[in-house]
Structure formats: C-alpha cells, structure tokens
Amino acid sequence: MSESREWLVQWLRDAHAMEEQAETMLSGQLSRIENYPELSDRMRLHLDETRQQAARLKACLDRMDEGSSTMKDAGGKVTAMAQSLSGFFAADEVMKGSLASYTFEHMEIASYTILIAAAESLGETEVVRACEDNLREEVAMAEWLKDHLPSTTEEFLARAETESDTAKR
C-alpha cells in the first residue's frame, strides 16, 4: 500500500471517529434541550445525517478492505461524553452547546475538504463522492447554526431575564 493511501485510510478512520464523537455529542445535547424547539429539531435532523455520514465512511473503508478504528471510535465517544457532561453544569448550557457545535462543524468541514483532496489525488471516486455528500451536510448545518446564533442568543437572554430556570436548556 502506498504511503498516500495509508494516509487516506488513516484520515478516513479519523473522520469516522469524528462522526462517532458527533453522534454522542448531539445525542447528549438533545437529551437536555427542552425549551428551544427549533434548535432541537435541527439537531435531531443533523443527528440522523451524522449517523448516515459515519455509515458512508465505514462503507468507504470496507470497500478499500480497511476497517474503522475501534480505539479511535471509542476515544471520540469518551471525549464527546465529557464535553456533553461539562455543558450540563453551565448555567448557559444552550449557548455553550451552540458554540461547541458551530466549532465542531468547522472541524468536520476542514476534515472533509482534506479527505476530498486526498481521495481525488488517489482516484478514489467513491470516497470523493461520500465525502462530498458529508461535506454538503456539514456546511448546511454550520450555516444553519450561524444564521440562528443571534436568535438563540436573544431567546436565551430573554429567558434568563424572566425565566432563568428555562434559559439554560
């Protein structure tokens, strides 16, 4: 196996672990968001997309006769669990979660951009297609979050002034 192909496989495994981490993070946030239905609905949709993204990556690895990394997947889930629990104690949990989600989307966007370039250079058209699909969904989620950060912030601040118990989540 060429060194370039080895890098592609490693990065695909990293991306699969990243999606496993995203699934755990989104599930944790969703289990606690009670008072922001629009945000909750969009996160639920993205959770479904995230599961599909992980499946696409696993299919790419399987087609290349490689597998995902159980160790990387587990590490990503543990990290996400810790991130999710840390937000639980924040009085502004919905805002911390929004910030973390927006940041995480951009890490995913960069990851898929790298994967697409590597797969194109190796002629791995199926990997390119899968990563382009994942990239489109990540960009859409990042844009949605960016567009809704102001209204989520305003809603949080209004709730914090009058119903501080419901502002957190």
Side-chain angles (χ1 to χ4, degrees):
M1 174 166 30
S2 76
E3 190 169 338
S4 294
R5 187 174 188 281
E6 286 178 28
W7 282 115
L8 177 62
V9 169
Q10 180 177 322
W11 294 338
L12 283 167
R13 287 179 177 149
D14 290 345
H16 186 268
M18 173 182 69
E19 294 304 346
E20 294 285 320
Q21 181 179 356
E23 180 181 351
T24 302
M25 187 174 75
L26 285 166
S27 294
Q29 288 176 332
L30 274 168
S31 71
R32 293 187 309 276
I33 292 179
E34 302 164 358
N35 300 303
Y36 299 83
E38 190 176 10
L39 177 61
S40 181
D41 289 346
R42 185 58 179 97
M43 287 176 71
R44 197 168 286 104
L45 171 66
H46 194 56
L47 178 58
D48 291 339
E49 291 172 342
T50 298
R51 289 178 177 135
Q52 292 169 4
Q53 291 166 2
R56 284 183 201 121
L57 294 170
K58 176 114 176 54
C60 288
L61 287 163
D62 289 346
R63 270 193 306 279
M64 297 172 78
D65 291 326
E66 303 288 343
S68 61
S69 169
T70 304
M71 195 66 129
K72 285 183 181 185
D73 290 351
K77 286 184 179 226
V78 168
T79 301
M81 191 72 74
Q83 288 170 331
S84 182
L85 288 174
S86 70
F88 178 77
F89 298 105
D92 60 344
E93 181 178 4
V94 71
M95 298 313 302
K96 295 282 192 292
S98 294
L99 176 65
S101 294
Y102 187 68
T103 303
F104 200 85
E105 293 305 322
H106 282 83
M107 182 183 71
E108 291 174 307
I109 289 166
S111 214
Y112 287 119
T113 302
I114 290 167
L115 279 166
I116 290 165
E120 284 175 340
S121 75
L122 292 168
E124 292 285 350
T125 57
E126 292 298 316
V127 174
V128 171
R129 192 170 339 191
C131 290
E132 285 175 343
D133 289 345
N134 289 5
L135 178 61
R136 266 191 298 284
E137 292 168 354
E138 301 301 358
V139 168
M141 184 62 183
E143 285 297 312
W144 190 94
L145 286 166
K146 182 182 80 170
D147 292 345
H148 289 81
L149 282 172
S151 60
T152 302
T153 303
E154 291 167 10
E155 187 175 351
F156 171 82
L157 291 173
R159 283 182 185 277
E161 287 292 323
T162 59
E163 315 163 21
S164 62
D165 292 343
T166 66
K168 177 179 180 170
R169 32 184 133 132

